[in-house]
Amino acid sequence: LVCGAAAGLALRTGLAGAGPFGALQWCGQASAALAAGGLAGYAAVRAVTDVYYEAGLLRGAAVCLVAAVAVCAATDRWLDGRSVTRAA
């Protein structure tokens, strides 16, 4: 309940003044991150058969988080029109 309330307040603050197009962009970005993270996490769980199933779940959760953050970072840069590589 506390995490849900914090997420709702963070979402409200983050989308304040974004307008309908900004909210639509955020939804698309979140959907892409969720899909990529879910697929990567599923692949990580199914790739190796563990003695303890909790080990596979931990690996899947970690890979899911890393993939979702990577997709969010890449789409943030793409939507902002910045290059992923910086000029020295």
Side-chain angles (χ1 to χ4, degrees):
L1 184 61
V2 171
C3 290
L9 291 172
L11 182 61
R12 184 179 70 175
T13 303
L15 292 178
F21 184 70
L24 187 62
Q25 271 186 330
W26 183 88
C27 288
Q29 184 180 14
S31 297
L34 180 63
L39 289 173
Y42 178 76
V45 168
R46 301 295 289 175
V48 178
T49 303
D50 295 302
V51 175
Y52 299 105
Y53 68 90
E54 292 92 347
L57 292 176
L58 179 61
R59 182 178 54 254
V63 168
C64 177
L65 178 65
V66 168
V69 168
V71 168
C72 284
T75 55
D76 274 345
R77 288 186 178 255
W78 180 67
L79 290 173
D80 287 345
R82 292 180 282 168
S83 173
V84 176
T85 59
R86 288 182 20 185

